[in-house]
């Protein structure tokens, strides 16, 4: 069953659950939920008291409905795999991003940038594949009530910077990071992001930003606004997901896809 639980997330999630239930009652030998985008993944812990861990609830719902396995991509936090007691394959878009970057730029001239401290591992992975350098945008609020200070860690002066992230939602993180990079002397800033959530206002925010281009994957079906946006380009993850489905069906290794 292939279903991204993107907007409208609850409708798409419910549809996935009832389809799993139908297949289970029809004696399917094995049911794999293929979720290129796993909605609610950012709610993976309690940031404060009396808040839900919705990603865990979604994991429980999928398991209870009867899925035997989950195939997903660039989970916001890898630990979400541990919310399930069934196998979870977490694919990575980074090889596709690296290949696209290699086609368009001289990799040695690039600086791969994480837009926040949490994404450093992802950015380092792509930088390593390309043999490019690495920088980090560090945002911090010195004291409650004071405005956020944005520091760029690493040398970006006179360089083409490529921000990489798992999700672009409002676009705020990327647009602020692009602004900080240009202020730190970068010649230009582009972004490669796996999941283009792009909620209301995001497309306009990106159009007005210092970002030269935003590349997303088709893990979420693009809206018309995204399709016609001049700065936004889509690369497909369909062959990668197709190959992973084939390997699951053949009971061969999925992880070796990334060797
Ligand atoms: C945060 O940890 C994520 O990796 C993304 O940076 C974040 O979800 C992007 O959100 P927005 O586009 O609304 O700033």
């Amino acid at each position: 069953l292939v279903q991204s639980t993107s907007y409208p997330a609850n409708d798409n999630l419910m549809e996935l659950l009832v389809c799993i239930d139908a297949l289970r009652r029809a004696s399917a030998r094995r049911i794999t939920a293929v979720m290129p985008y796993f909605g609610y993944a950012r709610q993976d812990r309690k940031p404060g008291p009396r808040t839900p861990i919705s990603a865990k609830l979604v994991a429980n719902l999928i398991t209870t409905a009867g899925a035997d396995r989950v195939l997903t991509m660039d989970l916001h936090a890898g630990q979400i795999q541990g919310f399930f007691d069934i196998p979870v394959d977490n694919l990575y878009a980074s090889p596709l991003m690296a290949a696209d970057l290699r086609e368009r730029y001289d990799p040695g001239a690039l600086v791969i940038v994480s837009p926040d401290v949490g994404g450093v591992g992802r950015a380092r992975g792509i930088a390593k594949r390309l043999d490019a350098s690495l920088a980090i945008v560090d945002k911090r609020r010195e004291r409650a009530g004071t405005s956020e200070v944005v520091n760029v860690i690493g040398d970006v002066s006179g360089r083409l910077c490529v921000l990489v992230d798992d999700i672009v939602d409002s676009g705020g993180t990327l647009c602020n990071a692009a602004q900080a990079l240009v202020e730190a002397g970068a010649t230009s800033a582009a972004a490669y992001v796996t999941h283009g959530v792009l909620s209301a206002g995001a497309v306009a925010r990106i159009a007005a930003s210092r970002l030269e281009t935003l590349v997303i994957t088709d893990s979420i079906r693009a809206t018309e606004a995204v399709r016609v946006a001049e700065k936004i380009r889509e690369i497909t993850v369909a062959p990668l997901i197709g190959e992973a489905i084939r390997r699951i069906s053949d009971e061969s290794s999925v992880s070796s896809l990334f060797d």
Side-chain angles (χ1 to χ4, degrees), residues 35 38-47 51-65 67-70 72 75-90:
M35 305 169 71
F38 188 96
Y40 285 109
R42 282 176 288 178
Q43 289 170 26
D44 59 351
R45 68 202 149 85
K46 281 182 73 170
T51 52
I53 304 182
S54 310
K56 170 63 179 156
L57 176 61
V58 170
N60 287 349
L61 290 169
I62 290 169
T63 311
T64 304
D68 299 293
R69 190 169 185 133
V70 172
T72 187
L75 271 175
H76 178 65
Q79 304 89 296
I80 293 172
Q81 289 170 92
F83 291 180
F84 290 88
D85 283 324
I86 54 174
V88 178
D89 298 293
N90 183 26

Side-chain angles (χ1 to χ4, degrees), residues 42 76 116 165-173:
R42 282 176 288 178
H76 178 65
D116 52 37
D165 209 348
D166 60 331
I167 296 174
V168 49
D169 185 350
S170 69
T173 303

Side-chain angles (χ1 to χ4, degrees), residues 19 28 41-43 60-61 71 97 112 115 121 125 156 170 192 195 201 239:
C19 289
R42 282 176 288 178
Q43 289 170 26
N60 287 349
L61 290 169
L71 172 63
M97 293 178 177
I112 306 298
V156 298
S170 69
Y192 278 64
H195 307 296

Side-chain angles (χ1 to χ4, degrees), residues 185-201:
T187 47
S188 63
Y192 278 64
V193 181
T194 308
H195 307 296
V197 173
L198 296 166
S199 52

Side-chain angles (χ1 to χ4, degrees), residues 103-127:
E103 261 177 35
R104 275 155 218 277
Y105 306 98
D106 165 14
L110 300 178
V111 182
I112 306 298
V113 186
S114 173
D116 52 37
V117 175
V120 175
R122 185 178 301 110
R124 191 190 295 122
I126 294 193

